[in-house]
Amino acid sequence: MAVGARSGHGEPERRPGDEGHPGETPRNPGGRPEPRGEAGPPAGDDPGGRPPADAGNPDEAPRTDAGRSDGGQPPGPGGDPEPARREPSRSRSFWKELPLLIGIALLLALVIKTFLVQAFSIPSESMQNTLQRGDRVLVDKLTPWFGSKPERGEVVVFHDPGGWLGETPAANNGPIGGGIQKVLSFVGLMPSAEEKDLIKRVIATGGDTVECKGDNQPVVVNGKPLDEPYIYPGNTPCSDKPFGPVKVPEGRIWVMGDHRQDSLDSRWHMEGDRFQGTVSEDDVVGRAVAVAWPLNRLDFLSVPKTFDQPGLNAAGAAVPPALGLAGALPVVLWRRRRIVRAAAAGEIVAAAAAGERVVGAGRRGIRARRRG
């Protein structure tokens, strides 16, 4: 029996413990027996005689087209390919950026609330039907920074001048609810539980004279009656509390609610007040410009046309005469100067005709005679 002859089944039979047997056919590192003689091409060789793709260095592992063994994964410390590395999850970066986004949003809300617009909630029915309880209004806080002052007909939010709201106990929301409300009110997303603000309509401003005699008579400002279609249906302008005439001090405003019979406004705070129920312009937070909530009540709060009627502005009525006087004064002075100069020139001509020597002439036509 020839040593190393192949069987008809390919690989020679091996038994456990036969490694290193003197009669065993030597094997290459790939596990196939070395060919001996011309028994035929080794398994895996191309019939055309070309060497296999992994021929060469027997210790080198087969490589892929990418130049890396075992599917392109680099070998680990023990020779086995390392598992594929996972890319970091993008959700992790989102959670890292979330606090920054929240901080920026709160900062923007604080800037908007302080300098631009602030939302206020309507707590009562004193401004019906213009405003309903629970409405959210947007208050302009930008224009006051540029010197804008409250005007007649505007709906304004102002701080309690003192005693208008009384001692209203604050609602107890607990430590957690109270803390959340403080944070949200600080950035303008909720009304503050500590601030006491009111909302009314401006009827008269500094320098105006306002009065209402009752008996369904209208409110009169600077002698002009107001047509007030915004008053709550069924109410009268002031039958429940007539007043006036009141001269509004400079820098202050006279305010009234649209629901006249359900509004404790300037009329009810005249007694014992040296300012006769008026509100300081410094207490005004800003003008309510729009109803923002609920959505079915979205609306702009414009100034009624009755406040644009001619002659209503007492200060403005004195402006044209003042301007006329200021424009006429230079003309009068100029004409007077011309008359004086003409008179002086006439005296000079007369003196020259009489043979007198004129030594000086001015506004009074001073001259002297020279004796003969």
Side-chain angles (χ1 to χ4, degrees):
M1 181 176 181
V3 179
R6 296 176 180 266
S7 67
H9 300 284
E11 292 290 335
E13 182 180 357
R14 293 187 59 187
R15 298 178 182 178
D18 287 346
E19 292 184 3
H21 192 276
E24 182 180 8
T25 305
R27 300 176 178 273
N28 60 19
R32 296 188 299 271
E34 293 287 345
R36 293 190 178 182
E38 301 296 331
D45 283 358
D46 187 273
R50 293 191 300 271
D54 56 351
N57 187 358
D59 295 329
E60 185 178 358
R63 294 183 178 273
T64 63
D65 295 338
R68 307 176 79 173
S69 62
D70 298 311
Q73 299 298 329
D80 297 332
E82 292 184 351
R85 295 181 179 178
R86 282 186 170 180
E87 295 183 0
S89 176
R90 294 185 179 181
S91 61
R92 182 180 301 176
S93 62
F94 169 76
W95 290 110
K96 288 182 178 179
E97 295 177 358
L98 183 59
L100 177 62
L101 296 176
I102 294 176
I104 293 175
L106 292 178
L107 179 61
L108 290 176
L110 177 61
V111 171
I112 292 173
K113 170 225 172 181
T114 304
F115 300 103
L116 300 179
V117 177
Q118 184 176 357
F120 283 85
S121 176
I122 306 303
S124 68
E125 294 85 6
S126 66
M127 282 297 293
Q128 287 179 331
N129 274 333
T130 303
L131 299 173
Q132 301 291 343
R133 177 191 286 268
D135 284 354
R136 301 294 193 274
V137 296
L138 299 181
V139 175
D140 171 28
K141 302 182 70 176
L142 177 63
T143 53
W145 289 90
F146 297 95
S148 176
K149 296 183 178 181
E151 299 290 341
R152 302 181 199 90
E154 295 179 348
V155 178
V156 297
V157 173
F158 56 94
H159 300 309
D160 185 357
W164 283 37
L165 292 177
E167 296 297 330
T168 304
N172 184 11
N173 297 322
I176 298 178
I180 294 175
Q181 184 175 12
K182 285 184 178 181
V183 172
L184 294 181
S185 62
F186 178 73
V187 298
L189 299 180
M190 281 187 67
S192 174
E194 299 174 357
E195 294 182 359
K196 295 182 178 181
D197 299 321
L198 300 97
I199 185 167
K200 305 290 181 185
R201 189 181 297 275
V202 179
I203 302 298
T205 58
D208 292 343
T209 300
V210 58
E211 63 178 327
C212 184
K213 297 181 180 179
D215 296 331
N216 205 24
Q217 296 190 38
V219 176
V220 178
V221 178
N222 298 329
K224 299 292 183 179
L226 299 181
D227 179 19
E228 300 181 285
Y230 46 79
I231 292 180
Y232 186 77
N235 280 194
T236 59
C238 64
S239 60
D240 59 326
K241 188 69 174 177
F243 64 92
V246 176
K247 180 74 172 181
V248 181
E250 293 293 338
R252 304 186 72 86
I253 56 177
W254 177 274
V255 297
M256 301 176 71
D258 290 354
H259 195 168
R260 295 291 163 83
Q261 273 68 66
D262 193 14
S263 175
L264 298 179
D265 42 44
S266 293
R267 299 171 294 164
W268 297 90
H269 298 90
M270 296 176 59
E271 297 181 4
D273 183 10
R274 64 189 183 99
F275 297 112
Q276 295 184 290
T278 58
V279 178
S280 172
E281 292 178 352
D282 295 335
D283 290 332
V284 176
V285 177
R287 174 190 173 186
V289 294
V291 179
W293 186 263
L295 296 178
N296 61 351
R297 287 185 46 78
L298 288 177
D299 192 14
F300 289 102
L301 300 176
S302 58
V303 176
K305 294 182 179 180
T306 186
F307 293 96
D308 296 330
Q309 58 179 302
L312 183 62
N313 194 340
V319 170
L323 292 178
L325 178 61
L329 183 61
V331 177
V332 172
L333 294 177
W334 176 74
R335 286 178 57 83
R336 183 176 181 276
R337 188 173 182 181
R338 285 191 61 184
I339 294 173
V340 170
R341 286 184 177 180
E347 291 181 4
I348 293 173
V349 171
E356 298 177 347
R357 181 183 177 186
V358 179
V359 296
R363 291 183 180 179
R364 296 183 180 180
I366 301 174
R367 65 181 186 272
R369 294 176 182 269
R370 186 181 65 173
R371 293 184 179 275

